[in-house]
Amino acid sequence: MTQNSSPIANEHIGSKINMILNKMTLEQKFRILTSHGLHRFYSTRPIENLGINSFKMPDGPLGVAYHSSWKKNTRFPTTKALAASWNRSLAMAVGVAIAEEVRALNKHMILAPAVNIDRTPLNGRTFEYYSEDPFLTKEMAIQFVKGVQSLGVGACVKHFVANNQETNRRKVDAIIDERTLHEIYLRAFKEIIIHSEPYAVMACYNKVNGIYGCAHRELIRETLMQKWGFKGMVISDWFATSNVKSTADCVNAGLTLEMPWPKRYKTKNLKQSFANGEFSEALLDDLVRRNLRVFYLTGAIGNVKNLPSGSRNTPEHQKLARHVAEEGIVLLKNDGNLLPLDTGSIDSIHLDGPNLKKKFGKFLYGGSSAVVPPYEITPYDALARRLKDKVRIVKNPSNADISVIFAGLNHSLGMDSENRDRKTLKLPDKQIRLIYDTLDVNPNTIVVLISGSPITMNGWLERTPAILQAWYPGMEGGNAIANILFGEVSPSGKLPITFPMNIIDSPAHALDSPRTYPGDENNRVFYEEGILIGYRWFDAKGIMPLFPFGFGLSYTEFEIVDAFADKVSYDQESFIVNVNVRNTGQANGAEVIQLYSHQLEPTVPRPPNELVGFEKCPLAPDESVNLKIGINIQDLGYYDVDSHAWIVDRGQYELSVGNSSRNFIRTVQIEL
Ligand code: BGC
């Protein structure tokens, strides 16, 4: 079985579906395009006499969300933490584990992964998304989808497309030029569709260039289905059809399932529109077939006995949650090697901050991704257990050898939360005051940031010797943070998003105009920065970020000894860059080697550097490795508006090898 194929045999699926379709009345075909009606928000109506069971799709992406299962399930670290691990195998493992939980609940599809590109760091859902970079996003999400679907559970890639802010998300109209749309915002969707064949895509709330996502024929029918060959379902985001005027527009666009209840797809509306000749029966059959195929692959039709039974809340899932949290934590600063701490050399520690004892896994907390776990280890829980009888926890920072402040955000509206964007990148004033007050009496102060999006640190950064970015680390988060603080694990996370010094440095905010964010008087947001998103913008404009994309320190040191490519010719689809890396420090650790491409004589304007490859390597002290980083030639290309396709120019390229987007150690020249 390949990782992305359902355990249910695919061979007879076409004829099986045709058999069901032939028996369906027109009315039954209409009914299969929508949900129950009131109160059952995450499933479709069964059609018993045809053997079609209710298709059930709980919310993700942090695990199986509570409001859509009424069960406590494993809460994994937030998507940003997974992305910060830069570890593809962890993305697959999390996909498998979530699918096991979905199967154990007798459900069929998880509403994940969420792959929108970080256009603005103020986006309230930044924590749910992978990255500002389409390459990192697709590399991780492809593995996640393969993992999920290896168990016969569907993955639903969302939100298609350009749902890049929460402010006014149901009305906003993203005005994007063709190249930017394809090169930045559609790219991850396309690659995920081609390489992992997800069973569903969720259409967004917003408009794209004047048309709502659920009625966007050019995007759904022509691009997703016809150009990319997508065979799955297209489901509306919840209530996203509310603002769409016409039933036929949704049908003709290719929307196969309206959620969470019938509106445009009320039987009476569909009947009327069909009677008016606004869509053909062949088109209707195509939508129905797409749904039936996924129902069949996931066991909502046919014999579920062929699917694994699944498991929930196992020690393995909890261990995986901790592991992801550990690999995702980013060490931003560590002056004088204050970290790691050693219980043998400190007598007292002061612990403080709003996130020290905070639990995040609560009902709808942060929106639709809220997973409520059976237990949640806070930093305080983990540290109190670890330090018992060894180090005193004291109330007054001036009496302590070390102080650790657990600062950051939470999932309240206006912080890291669905439905509302953040207003500022700053920490709340009270937290800034706490950091300064603590530093005034104890210079050995460490700040641990628990947040899902960037934070600015003007003023307090200079005075704080050590800073960790822990994201929302999931139900085992406290243990993961304690393991990092005390050096059991060396930090190996790298930022999947640029941390700007000030919001105005960020591409969507540079003009400081509502036109580019959050929208003009007609709710239009003009993506005037074009393809220069994230580090592409900071590099092109020569703006110094607070912490660059791809950045993260370790407790050990790595040397990139050399880097060289195989000889390449244009005909090859891929080539290998060899990078020899050595751990020259004293501790075990892992480095993420990153490759950025720069075309020497581009025929169209291109960003200075673009991520095209990476590999994570764990190394013991003195250990070396020859990393073979595969580069796909297609990833060196750009979207050409004349041919409306991706192309790769012949010529010279420079590949920079380093451990962040701003620290290149070697370069490799290649000619295509
Ligand atoms: C969110 C989706 C989610 C859906 C169902 C919407 O508000 O945008 O991500 O899957 O609700 O809960």
Side-chain angles (χ1 to χ4, degrees), residues 159-223:
H159 310 86
F160 191 70
V161 61
N163 177 187
N164 299 317
Q165 64 184 61
E166 289 301 287
T167 304
N168 224 353
R169 67 172 175 171
R170 285 165 191 248
K171 289 220 176 108
V172 95
D173 185 2
I175 308 293
I176 317 179
D177 67 83
E178 182 183 348
R179 177 174 174 194
T180 303
L181 181 60
H182 284 264
E183 198 166 310
I184 301 293
Y185 298 101
L186 287 172
R187 180 174 170 200
F189 284 98
K190 174 178 181 237
E191 299 284 325
I192 295 165
I193 301 303
I194 292 172
H195 297 287
S196 56
E197 298 182 26
Y199 292 167
V201 164
M202 185 187 289
C204 60
Y205 286 115
N206 50 288
K207 290 182 188 168
V208 181
N209 294 330
I211 301 169
Y212 278 110
C214 293
H216 214 302
R217 188 175 173 154
E218 187 190 329
L219 283 175
I220 300 175
R221 178 58 72 184
E222 288 162 24
T223 306

Side-chain angles (χ1 to χ4, degrees), residues 70-270:
W70 307 115
K71 289 278 180 343
K72 294 184 175 176
N73 300 309
T74 305
R75 182 175 170 94
F76 288 94
T78 197
T79 313
K80 267 287 171 301
L82 182 60
S85 78
W86 294 59
N87 184 337
R88 295 177 183 87
S89 59
L90 281 184
M92 174 173 280
V94 171
V96 169
I98 291 179
E100 282 171 348
E101 306 222 344
V102 174
R103 285 293 318 134
L105 289 159
N106 277 317
K107 297 184 190 286
H108 307 101
M109 180 161 85
I110 185 83
L111 300 177
V115 304
N116 295 91
I117 298 298
D118 301 321
R119 176 174 182 260
T120 162
L122 294 181
N123 182 3
R125 295 184 88 173
T126 302
F127 74 101
E128 281 186 68
Y129 298 131
Y130 287 84
S131 176
E132 67 189 21
D133 182 71
F135 181 84
L136 179 60
T137 300
K138 63 120 168 155
E139 288 295 302
M140 299 296 284
I142 284 171
Q143 299 304 317
F144 178 90
V145 171
K146 285 185 177 179
V148 169
Q149 296 197 168
S150 67
L151 271 85
V153 169
C156 175
V157 191
K158 63 190 188 183
H159 310 86
F160 191 70
V161 61
N163 177 187
N164 299 317
Q165 64 184 61
E166 289 301 287
T167 304
N168 224 353
R169 67 172 175 171
R170 285 165 191 248
K171 289 220 176 108
V172 95
D173 185 2
I175 308 293
I176 317 179
D177 67 83
E178 182 183 348
R179 177 174 174 194
T180 303
L181 181 60
H182 284 264
E183 198 166 310
I184 301 293
Y185 298 101
L186 287 172
R187 180 174 170 200
F189 284 98
K190 174 178 181 237
E191 299 284 325
I192 295 165
I193 301 303
I194 292 172
H195 297 287
S196 56
E197 298 182 26
Y199 292 167
V201 164
M202 185 187 289
C204 60
Y205 286 115
N206 50 288
K207 290 182 188 168
V208 181
N209 294 330
I211 301 169
Y212 278 110
C214 293
H216 214 302
R217 188 175 173 154
E218 187 190 329
L219 283 175
I220 300 175
R221 178 58 72 184
E222 288 162 24
T223 306
L224 177 70
M225 293 173 172
Q226 288 167 355
K227 264 194 170 171
W228 304 346
F230 176 67
K231 295 198 215 68
M233 308 163 65
V234 177
I235 77 181
S236 73
D237 199 342
W238 270 229
F239 306 104
T241 49
S242 316
N243 292 328
V244 179
K245 295 274 170 324
S246 127
T247 297
D249 282 355
C250 296
V251 176
N252 286 311
L255 188 77
T256 75
L257 186 69
E258 182 183 42
M259 294 301 291
W261 64 48
K263 189 164 166 114
R264 295 280 74 85
Y265 283 3
K266 268 187 184 152
T267 300
K268 102 171 181 300
N269 293 343
L270 284 162

Side-chain angles (χ1 to χ4, degrees), residues 36-47:
H36 296 268
L38 275 180
H39 305 314
R40 298 182 58 189
F41 272 25
Y42 294 91
S43 56
T44 65
R45 276 185 290 191
I47 306 181

Side-chain angles (χ1 to χ4, degrees), residues 53 59 92 96 122 165 175 186-187 233 257 311 373 376 403 410 419 472 475 516 552 566-567 618 632 665:
N53 296 316
D59 246 323
M92 174 173 280
V96 169
L122 294 181
Q165 64 184 61
I175 308 293
L186 287 172
R187 180 174 170 200
M233 308 163 65
L257 186 69
S311 54
E376 184 173 343
S403 174
N410 57 48
N419 276 311
Y472 296 107
M475 64 186 290
T516 54
D566 305 4
K567 267 219 168 309
N632 193 333
I665 312 290

